Amino acid sequence: MRDTGEGGGGGGDTDVNVKSEKDQSWIPKIIKKRVCTTFVEDSFSNGALCQCGGARDTHASVALGDYFSTAIVNHWDSAQHSSEYPTDAFGELQFAGASKRHSYFLRLSWDTPPSMVYTLMTAHWGLPAPNLVVSVVGGEGRTKVKTWVREVLRQGLVKASQSTGAWILTAGLREGVGRCVGEAVRDHATAASSVSLNKVVALGIAPWGLVHNRQQLVNPQGSFPAKYYVQNTSRDSCCLDNNYQAFLLVDDGSVGRRGGATGFRAKLEDYISHQRTGIWGSGSIDIPVICMLVSGEASMLERVDLSLKTSMPWLVLAGSGGMADFLSDLLENLSSAPVVQSSSEGDGEAVPSVDLKDRVAERVKKYFPAEVETDKLVERALSIYQNRDFITIYHGEQEGPNDFDTVLLKALVGASKQRASVDASPYNEELKLAVTWNRVDIAKSELFNGDIQWRYEDLEDSMTDALINDKPQFVRLFIENGLNILDYLTYSRLESLYRSVADGTLLYYLLQRRLVERLGTTASVPTRSNLQDSSSKVTAENIQSGPVTEISLFEVSGVLELLMGDICQPFYYDALGLQQISSKRRALRSASKLLRGDCLYREKRCLFPWASLFIWAVLQNRSEMATFFWEMAGESVLSALSGCKMLRELSKLEVETETKLSMKELAQRFENLAHDVFSSCYRSNESRSFTLLIRKSPVWGGTTCLQMGMGADARLFFSHDGVQSLLSQIWWGDMKRNTEVWKLLLTFFCPVLCYTNLISFRKQDDQQQEEQAKPNEDGLGRDSDSLYGTTIFSFSDIKHIEADAQGANTPRTATIKAITEYVLYFWVFTIVCEEIRETFFLGTMTWRQRVRVYIQDVWNKCDLIAIILFIIGLVCRMFKWSYGFGRDVLCVDYMVFTLRLIHIFAIHKQLGPKIIIVGKMMKDVFFFLFFLGVWLMAYGVANQALLYSYDPQLDRIFRRVFYRPYLHIFGQIPVEEIDVGKKWDMACTTNDTLIQSGAEPCRTLYSNWLVVILLVIYLLVTNILLINLLIAMFSYTFSEVQANSDIYWKFQRYTLIVQYHSRPSLAPPLIIFSHINLFIKRTIRKVPSVKIHHFVLQLKGKAANRLMTWETIQKEDFLTAQNKIQKSSDSERLKRMSVKVDGVVKHLTETRDFDHRLRALEAEMEYCSNALSWIVDTLAQGSTFKPPRPPPTLRDAFPSSSNSA
């Protein structure tokens, strides 16, 4: 019926529906339906019905034509008497009147391969792969479900399924147990949070011929969606339930008959039980499947028997009626009869005794008195009895639904123990189930309570499962219970963790790019937008072709180099044997050669396991997992700053807004952790905390906390008092900080006063750092032992900039070169030498990295522009024909040199943030100019066309279109020219020839009123609307920066101090002497630098161990304090109160159960008392036995009982 697609949704769903229809157009080619092709007459219908349930009129002529063959057939069979055709019912299902998302449905033949159906549900329908499958069997039809069974389904089954991420399989119809499960799923979905990780998937598997109004689903091209009308919803019916996510409508060709989906459902359960759990099947166990029996008819016995033979566990709900009561009675009350060995059978099969068969037959007649073929039922029951180890009896009415998840776990574990090998740990399967369900509470109470001695081999697979599927609580639990991370994390396992990254994520995309680069693939690297399509095409053939092309540590190192930049040395190069290679091309060739070999490094232990796991978790944006690994890793301050750096770089590359925000939040969290831990360290020991900031880290590629914090833009961290104290100490050097300013100025103009007592110095109390420090040439500065250099950092910068600015005023004549001009050339030459020294002779990075770092600084760009402009101006003024242009260039260069003076104000606490405000406002002006430019062009062109009908002069046109409207904004409006009512003294003409020769054209008079209106509108928009918009933008920027001005100033203060610290003492042009001095010291005399240890310090041996131990202690103290604060918070108190209330409710429930039991015991006692009274009366009336004393009276019995009570 094609009308099912009408009015399915708004216009916004059209593209989605077309895409869904296109994605599922292959279904009719593979999935089939069944149609009865042989009419087998039903003897009870007088020839009107076929045994398939369909009427004679609904059968085709082919089914009715062969009267001879139909006459000899006694029983209709679906395999023989029905044929397959392409399915005509599939797609999405919309329940009329139900305001919820669409469900999926599919009509399929009973012999469809379950693998194909499972792939369709998970890959195309998007259903999450289950961690557990509970198949609810029985309870079908219009039989009334007991109240306590409803509670078990609602509070027990669905709640347990929600905590484990399970699929619940029922018939999916609005009747019996299926309706109860649907309502329970609906209630829990409403109560659960929208961000819940584990969603319950209710899957209905029903016979096609039993579904009411099934013709509404028929559409050979698929329905997207199909409208389904449900009638009589207040009572049970065979309509589909709108609370199910998907429906599999199994077609065996029959109509109106139950049981047609039983075989396919059993095959699907068996197939799912052999699939792996976790992301892309990365779990440690197969998906657990359990069948739950609720009541049931006698025909259900065959279903139970067949699935038990495939080792499928069953949970029988005792007391629910029917088959469930029969099996519970059979397995609990039937004593184990002796098993005799049959003498006629040579294979040694055990045959039940005759007594056991008789007792089973009695129970069959008791529970199913209407059944005729009792012998078959007895055989089935005996077969079930022999496989009773796979069956768990649950007395829901007595035990209650609260611990139903534990019951499911015990049932699955009990069944798995029967299948497990002898060498396997008896608790290993239970642990894997708990990890799969993410139930750490069950693991703590049942498995890690101190009674079980766990081996490393038992925890290894579960640890991998917990890591890949993001279950940090289990990772913490395993570590606390003895899992050695040093033995666990090898380089091979670390690579496998990176290979398990989910497709479509940013990390997966970055790794694939690096892998394509290593393999030398000529195909284009996929972008994030078409990652799932082109990435699979590019990498499927070239990447996933064998073990050689798998992701290795070299790709991980490339991703980290992309994120970290030049702050630290490449990661994992020591494991790959590339630590001596600086060129990227040579490293790429060496890595490719190594990975084509045996790769012996993979069997080695990871050098820094916790840091490696921390990086792995951060790259995947796993907040809780990364926080735990940070707690376990050493160098907590630097690790937190490194995580902040990686996350902020990842957020710049991420395209999804939600993921980008979560990355920024986690980055800020790590920056706060670094700030708080360093605060604890600074309060404990100031000198050690200073060492902590400048210590080179072997874990993080030889970087320091200050360098990493600068790269991570950690402004909050730099605003800490401890960091600022270190910077002040470096800035002041040996001089005391309380030195008056007038003394500094006096010493600046008279350097000889440095050697007097005018300026006081602090004593060198700490010489140990220099003794422990190893000389290293990758520092940020060069030595300067004179006080003059330490006191005139800022003044030297001002002097050399002002000198350049003044020197730009060259002589006006190009023929006579004064001596001052040569001084100016030399002056600029010394500045160029200093810039070259800063770029190429500082640090141990390659020259490309140094140039990249140099260009990243804004003020270095300003210096570069100033020098280039000076060279251009100098060259141009050497020639007469370009002398004027060179002079113009030098004038602009003077302006650039002068603007460079702004940088010196960054050291000032009040002026420093203003520089940042100006920079941000420049961005606001840039975006504002887009609005202004559009409106200015619109008005200028219209104004020019209305005032002057013809004007061929381009310079005049551009002035009047752009320049004049721009001046209008500032009030310069030529009213005489625009308004024809005013007298205009300008001589003009209307002659085209004169206008072409350059004469001023006359104004157009007839449309002048429109010019005035446009002028008013233009001024209204620009002067009021746009200007006020710009002011509002400026105000927002100013208030935002001003609120954090102290943080901004402290952050840029570090940059300024590092820059001045690396410069020589003298200013240009005298700086040439400092360059000569440095060349002699460093190159000829090989004297190491002393100032280098102010920002970079390398510790080894005991000193490094003591510092790391001290930092770890401070971190533990901080975490302990945080835990205390968290425990005392209101939310934690509410949680503890909630747990206590749950315990009280549980005790009250147990008390109620005890009350019921006492009442039952009182009833039994009353019955026994009456029976004894009857016996006493009977014996008293008889004359056969003469008692020696009279019987006790009733009055004597009650006081004794009351007294005893």
Side-chain angles (χ1 to χ4, degrees):
M1 296 175 63
R2 294 306 301 270
D3 58 349
T4 56
E6 296 179 3
D13 298 336
T14 304
D15 297 338
V16 179
N17 293 339
V18 171
K19 186 177 185 300
S20 301
E21 185 174 356
K22 186 177 180 181
D23 292 344
Q24 301 185 23
S25 60
W26 56 270
I27 291 180
K29 303 175 184 178
I30 301 177
I31 307 297
K32 306 298 180 182
K33 68 175 182 178
R34 281 198 171 267
V35 177
C36 179
T37 55
T38 304
F39 183 82
V40 181
E41 182 179 333
D42 189 357
S43 59
F44 297 99
S45 63
N46 296 325
L49 297 177
C50 176
Q51 290 188 15
C52 69
R56 179 184 291 271
D57 299 337
T58 59
H59 286 69
S61 58
V62 179
L64 302 173
D66 192 0
Y67 295 102
F68 176 77
S69 61
T70 57
I72 63 176
V73 174
N74 296 325
H75 180 68
W76 184 86
D77 182 67
S78 176
Q80 299 179 6
H81 304 138
S82 63
S83 301
E84 290 185 344
Y85 295 92
T87 183
D88 56 359
F90 63 93
E92 298 177 359
L93 188 61
Q94 180 185 13
F95 290 89
S99 58
K100 61 171 295 184
R101 55 182 174 76
H102 298 168
S103 301
Y104 299 97
F105 73 98
L106 174 66
R107 178 184 181 183
L108 68 163
S109 176
W110 59 268
D111 57 350
T112 304
S115 58
M116 189 183 304
V117 179
Y118 182 75
T119 304
L120 172 68
M121 291 189 294
T122 54
H124 296 274
W125 287 357
L127 300 181
N131 293 325
L132 169 68
V133 175
V134 181
S135 179
V136 182
V137 181
E140 300 176 359
R142 299 188 176 182
T143 56
K144 185 177 181 181
V145 182
K146 297 181 179 180
T147 304
W148 68 267
V149 176
R150 290 176 179 269
E151 292 300 319
V152 168
L153 294 176
R154 180 185 300 273
Q155 300 183 11
L157 174 61
V158 178
K159 187 177 180 181
S161 301
Q162 192 174 28
S163 65
T164 56
W167 285 9
I168 301 179
L169 273 57
T170 68
L173 303 178
R174 296 185 64 84
E175 61 174 11
V177 173
R179 181 167 185 167
C180 297
V181 172
E183 293 173 351
V185 171
R186 176 198 62 198
D187 296 341
H188 275 275
T190 304
S193 60
S194 59
V195 296
S196 178
L197 296 178
N198 298 325
K199 302 288 186 181
V200 180
V201 176
L203 179 63
I205 305 178
W208 165 261
L210 193 65
V211 177
H212 186 61
N213 293 338
R214 58 185 175 275
Q215 291 303 320
Q216 299 176 7
L217 309 178
V218 176
N219 188 351
Q221 283 75 34
S223 302
F224 303 95
K227 279 192 175 181
Y228 185 73
Y229 295 91
V230 181
Q231 300 174 354
N232 298 327
T233 56
S234 60
R235 60 180 183 177
D236 290 346
S237 63
C238 291
C239 297
L240 298 178
D241 196 323
N242 62 338
N243 297 308
Y244 285 73
Q245 280 80 2
F247 297 94
L248 298 178
L249 307 178
V250 183
D251 190 5
D252 62 348
S254 64
V255 178
R257 300 198 175 188
R258 299 184 183 275
T262 303
F264 173 78
R265 184 171 172 180
K267 290 191 297 182
L268 180 63
E269 293 165 0
D270 183 67
Y271 175 79
I272 295 177
S273 65
H274 291 85
Q275 305 306 307
R276 303 292 281 186
T277 58
I279 302 174
W280 303 107
S282 58
S284 58
I285 61 171
D286 294 334
I287 297 176
V289 180
I290 187 171
C291 297
M292 180 178 172
L293 181 60
V294 181
S295 65
E297 301 176 353
S299 59
M300 201 66 66
L301 206 61
E302 181 181 2
R303 164 89 161 86
V304 177
D305 183 30
L306 293 177
S307 61
L308 283 175
K309 290 180 179 179
T310 61
S311 302
M312 183 69 66
W314 280 76
L315 180 66
V316 178
L317 217 60
S320 59
M323 179 61 65
D325 291 350
F326 168 72
L327 289 180
S328 62
D329 187 15
L330 178 70
L331 300 179
E332 288 185 337
N333 299 327
L334 191 64
S335 59
S336 57
V339 180
V340 297
Q341 187 73 21
S342 175
S343 58
S344 60
E345 305 255 350
D347 55 357
E349 285 189 359
V351 178
S353 65
V354 179
D355 183 42
L356 181 61
K357 289 184 178 180
D358 293 340
R359 284 185 287 176
V360 171
E362 291 177 2
R363 282 167 172 78
V364 169
K365 293 178 181 180
K366 175 184 176 181
Y367 287 95
F368 309 107
E371 293 293 330
V372 180
E373 299 178 353
T374 57
D375 294 338
K376 292 184 178 181
L377 296 179
V378 171
E379 293 297 328
R380 294 285 186 186
L382 289 174
S383 177
I384 292 173
Y385 184 77
Q386 292 178 355
N387 294 316
R388 59 187 179 274
D389 293 331
F390 293 98
I391 301 178
T392 303
I393 306 299
Y394 176 64
H395 298 274
E397 189 174 12
Q398 299 178 5
E399 300 180 18
N402 293 328
D403 298 329
F404 192 78
D405 48 0
T406 308
V407 174
L408 289 176
L409 179 66
K410 296 296 183 182
L412 291 169
V413 169
S416 63
K417 288 181 179 179
Q418 304 299 323
R419 301 190 297 259
S421 60
V422 180
D423 298 334
S425 173
Y427 302 101
N428 197 18
E429 193 71 19
E430 189 172 357
L431 175 61
K432 290 181 179 180
L433 283 174
V435 173
T436 302
W437 296 353
N438 200 16
R439 295 301 302 273
V440 70
D441 53 340
I442 295 178
K444 287 182 178 179
S445 60
E446 301 289 338
L447 303 174
F448 292 93
N449 51 11
D451 299 335
I452 305 172
Q453 296 296 327
W454 291 96
R455 298 177 300 176
Y456 170 76
E457 295 79 9
D458 300 332
L459 301 178
E460 187 175 6
D461 293 339
S462 298
M463 179 69 171
T464 304
D465 189 2
L467 284 172
I468 294 176
N469 295 288
D470 194 16
K471 297 170 182 176
Q473 294 180 345
F474 272 99
V475 176
R476 185 187 297 270
L477 186 64
F478 295 151
I479 297 301
E480 291 174 352
N481 286 271
L483 178 68
N484 189 356
I485 197 66
L486 295 175
D487 296 333
Y488 173 79
L489 193 66
T490 60
Y491 288 117
S492 175
R493 181 165 277 121
L494 183 61
E495 288 180 348
S496 67
L497 291 178
Y498 279 101
R499 296 188 197 111
S500 67
V501 175
D503 296 349
T505 59
L506 177 60
L507 177 58
Y508 177 82
Y509 162 70
L510 296 176
L511 290 173
Q512 295 300 325
R513 283 190 58 184
R514 297 296 174 180
L515 184 57
V516 170
E517 292 177 4
R518 177 169 65 85
L519 297 177
T521 306
T522 57
S524 60
V525 180
T527 58
R528 283 300 306 278
S529 59
N530 59 354
L531 178 61
Q532 295 182 351
D533 296 332
S534 64
S535 177
S536 60
K537 294 178 182 178
V538 173
T539 61
E541 298 178 358
N542 302 295
I543 296 178
Q544 299 177 357
S545 58
V548 179
T549 58
E550 292 178 343
I551 291 175
S552 64
L553 290 180
F554 185 75
E555 284 72 46
V556 179
S557 176
V559 173
L560 292 176
E561 184 178 0
L562 173 66
L563 300 178
M564 292 294 192
D566 304 324
I567 297 177
C568 52
Q569 299 172 0
F571 287 81
Y572 305 119
Y573 268 32
D574 52 349
L576 298 171
L578 307 175
Q579 62 270 23
Q580 302 298 330
I581 301 177
S582 58
S583 174
K584 285 188 177 181
R585 293 184 178 180
R586 289 179 55 195
L588 183 61
R589 290 195 298 266
S590 301
S592 301
K593 182 179 179 180
L594 173 66
L595 295 173
R596 284 194 297 265
D598 296 334
C599 300
L600 299 178
Y601 74 92
R602 292 177 174 170
E603 302 303 323
K604 298 180 181 178
R605 293 180 176 181
C606 187
L607 190 59
F608 304 106
W610 290 118
S612 300
L613 289 175
F614 173 71
I615 294 173
W616 173 78
V618 166
L619 292 178
Q620 297 187 82
N621 195 26
R622 295 182 174 181
S623 174
E624 190 175 354
M625 187 85 76
T627 304
F628 170 69
F629 290 144
W630 172 81
E631 294 176 1
M632 302 301 295
E635 302 185 4
S636 54
V637 177
L638 182 55
S639 298
L641 292 174
S642 302
C644 177
K645 166 69 174 175
M646 289 185 286
L647 286 166
R648 283 179 176 162
E649 294 297 329
L650 285 171
S651 65
K652 297 177 184 178
L653 302 175
E654 183 60 54
V655 294
E656 296 182 4
T657 305
E658 186 176 354
T659 307
K660 182 192 293 286
L661 291 177
S662 64
M663 286 180 176
K664 290 182 178 179
E665 291 175 359
L666 185 57
Q668 187 61 44
R669 180 180 177 184
F670 278 122
E671 183 181 353
N672 294 336
L673 286 175
H675 178 273
D676 295 340
V677 174
F678 182 74
S679 297
S680 178
C681 296
Y682 184 68
R683 288 192 299 267
S684 175
N685 192 315
E686 182 177 346
S687 61
R688 281 188 173 182
S689 64
F690 290 165
T691 308
L692 187 68
L693 292 175
I694 61 176
R695 175 203 54 187
K696 289 185 64 176
S697 169
V699 180
W700 294 99
T703 187
T704 65
C705 290
L706 291 178
Q707 293 173 353
M708 186 63 73
M710 187 65 191
D713 197 19
R715 298 175 181 175
L716 179 64
F717 177 75
F718 273 99
S719 66
H720 192 274
D721 293 339
V723 180
Q724 294 302 311
S725 297
L726 175 64
L727 296 180
S728 299
Q729 179 177 321
I730 296 174
W731 175 262
W732 286 91
D734 297 335
M735 187 170 51
K736 289 187 177 181
R737 301 182 190 179
N738 56 357
T739 305
E740 291 81 357
V741 178
W742 67 270
K743 294 183 179 180
L744 295 176
L745 294 176
L746 185 61
T747 309
F748 172 73
F749 291 105
C750 185
V752 182
L753 297 177
C754 292
Y755 301 96
T756 64
N757 294 328
L758 182 63
I759 296 179
S760 57
F761 298 89
R762 58 185 178 87
K763 297 180 180 179
Q764 292 288 343
D765 297 329
D766 190 7
Q767 298 290 340
Q768 297 179 356
Q769 292 184 1
E770 295 184 3
E771 296 176 0
Q772 296 171 354
K774 181 181 178 180
N776 194 341
E777 288 298 328
D778 63 349
L780 298 169
R782 294 296 181 263
D783 85 303
S784 175
D785 299 329
S786 65
L787 177 64
Y788 176 70
T790 60
T791 55
I792 62 167
F793 281 136
S794 57
F795 300 106
S796 65
D797 192 49
I798 293 176
K799 287 297 293 180
H800 90 265
I801 292 177
E802 287 184 344
D804 293 332
Q806 295 171 0
N809 297 320
T810 56
R812 296 183 179 181
T813 60
T815 56
I816 303 175
K817 294 182 173 59
I819 191 170
T820 55
E821 189 170 350
Y822 291 104
V823 173
L824 175 64
Y825 297 160
F826 179 73
W827 205 309
V828 176
F829 171 74
T830 57
I831 296 176
V832 173
C833 292
E834 174 60 20
E835 297 297 327
I836 293 175
R837 187 193 69 85
E838 290 182 3
T839 306
F840 297 101
F841 294 96
L842 287 181
T844 58
M845 297 182 293
T846 61
W847 66 272
R848 291 183 179 179
Q849 293 174 337
R850 293 170 181 171
V851 171
R852 192 184 308 121
V853 172
Y854 178 82
I855 294 297
Q856 288 176 354
D857 187 69
V858 177
W859 299 108
N860 289 337
K861 294 178 183 178
C862 185
D863 290 338
L864 197 61
I865 293 174
I867 293 172
I868 293 174
L869 288 177
F870 183 84
I871 294 175
I872 294 175
L874 176 63
V875 172
C876 289
R877 70 184 304 276
M878 294 297 179
F879 305 96
K880 187 175 182 180
W881 57 272
S882 60
Y883 176 79
F885 177 75
R887 184 176 180 278
D888 297 339
V889 171
L890 290 176
C891 292
V892 176
D893 188 32
Y894 171 78
M895 184 178 68
V896 176
F897 271 114
T898 306
L899 290 177
R900 182 65 171 81
L901 281 172
I902 298 177
H903 184 42
I904 193 59
F905 299 134
I907 197 63
H908 196 270
K909 188 173 184 179
Q910 301 298 330
L911 297 178
K914 302 302 185 294
I915 299 177
I916 300 176
I917 293 176
V918 171
K920 290 184 176 293
M921 285 183 177
M922 291 299 295
K923 296 180 181 179
D924 295 337
V925 171
F926 178 76
F927 290 110
F928 169 77
L929 288 178
F930 283 106
F931 296 101
L932 182 62
V934 172
W935 186 248
L936 188 143
M937 179 180 292
Y939 168 74
V941 173
N943 183 68
Q944 169 71 10
L946 291 173
L947 279 176
Y948 304 98
S949 60
Y950 179 71
D951 190 358
Q953 298 294 326
L954 290 178
D955 57 340
R956 203 156 49 200
I957 292 175
F958 276 101
R959 283 177 178 272
R960 289 171 177 171
V961 169
F962 294 103
Y963 179 60
R964 181 181 291 175
Y966 178 73
L967 295 179
H968 288 356
I969 302 175
F970 304 99
Q972 297 185 15
I973 303 173
V975 182
E976 294 81 4
E977 180 181 357
I978 294 177
D979 190 359
V980 295
K982 302 289 184 179
K983 186 178 179 181
W984 191 32
D985 297 333
M986 178 69 67
C988 63
T989 181
T990 57
N991 190 344
D992 294 344
T993 304
L994 296 177
I995 294 175
Q996 289 180 358
S997 62
E1000 180 73 22
C1002 290
R1003 298 171 296 175
T1004 304
L1005 303 180
Y1006 66 88
S1007 58
N1008 188 256
W1009 62 272
L1010 188 56
V1011 173
V1012 176
I1013 293 177
L1014 290 180
L1015 175 63
V1016 173
I1017 297 175
Y1018 172 73
L1019 293 178
L1020 179 68
V1021 173
T1022 54
N1023 286 18
I1024 296 179
L1025 182 63
L1026 294 182
I1027 298 299
N1028 280 280
L1029 173 63
L1030 181 63
I1031 294 173
M1033 295 168 63
F1034 286 169
S1035 300
Y1036 174 77
T1037 302
F1038 181 83
S1039 60
E1040 184 183 18
V1041 177
Q1042 189 67 24
N1044 303 313
S1045 60
D1046 188 62
I1047 296 177
Y1048 279 103
W1049 171 72
K1050 290 179 178 178
F1051 180 71
Q1052 67 180 5
R1053 183 170 179 256
Y1054 167 77
T1055 308
L1056 193 67
I1057 292 177
V1058 169
Q1059 182 180 359
Y1060 287 148
H1061 189 273
S1062 63
R1063 288 181 176 178
S1065 305
L1066 300 177
L1070 302 179
I1071 198 174
I1072 192 67
F1073 297 109
S1074 297
H1075 291 165
I1076 297 173
N1077 181 35
L1078 288 174
F1079 177 78
I1080 295 174
K1081 273 190 174 183
R1082 303 289 176 261
T1083 307
I1084 300 177
R1085 298 179 58 192
K1086 305 294 183 181
V1087 178
S1089 173
V1090 177
K1091 280 174 57 179
I1092 192 175
H1093 303 303
H1094 292 168
F1095 282 100
V1096 178
L1097 180 65
Q1098 185 170 3
L1099 299 180
K1100 287 187 177 180
K1102 294 182 179 180
N1105 293 334
R1106 283 197 300 266
L1107 185 63
M1108 186 175 297
T1109 303
W1110 172 76
E1111 183 183 7
T1112 304
I1113 294 174
Q1114 302 306 316
K1115 178 189 65 177
E1116 295 296 333
D1117 294 341
F1118 165 74
L1119 293 176
T1120 302
Q1122 289 295 112
N1123 291 332
K1124 290 181 179 179
I1125 295 174
Q1126 185 177 2
K1127 288 181 179 180
S1128 60
S1129 62
D1130 295 337
S1131 59
E1132 289 296 324
R1133 291 179 180 177
L1134 287 175
K1135 287 181 181 180
R1136 291 195 295 268
M1137 184 64 68
S1138 176
V1139 172
K1140 292 179 181 179
V1141 170
D1142 291 340
V1144 171
V1145 171
K1146 187 176 181 179
H1147 287 303
L1148 289 176
T1149 305
E1150 293 177 356
T1151 305
R1152 193 179 299 111
D1153 294 339
F1154 290 149
D1155 188 29
H1156 287 303
R1157 293 181 183 180
L1158 287 175
R1159 291 182 181 179
L1161 184 59
E1162 289 177 356
E1164 293 290 336
M1165 291 294 295
E1166 185 177 359
Y1167 170 76
C1168 293
S1169 177
N1170 294 333
L1172 290 175
S1173 299
W1174 179 79
I1175 293 173
V1176 170
D1177 294 340
T1178 303
L1179 293 176
Q1181 293 176 2
S1183 58
T1184 306
F1185 178 72
K1186 297 292 184 181
R1189 59 184 179 86
T1193 62
L1194 188 61
R1195 187 178 57 184
D1196 296 335
F1198 279 107
S1200 63
S1201 63
S1202 63
N1203 293 334
S1204 63

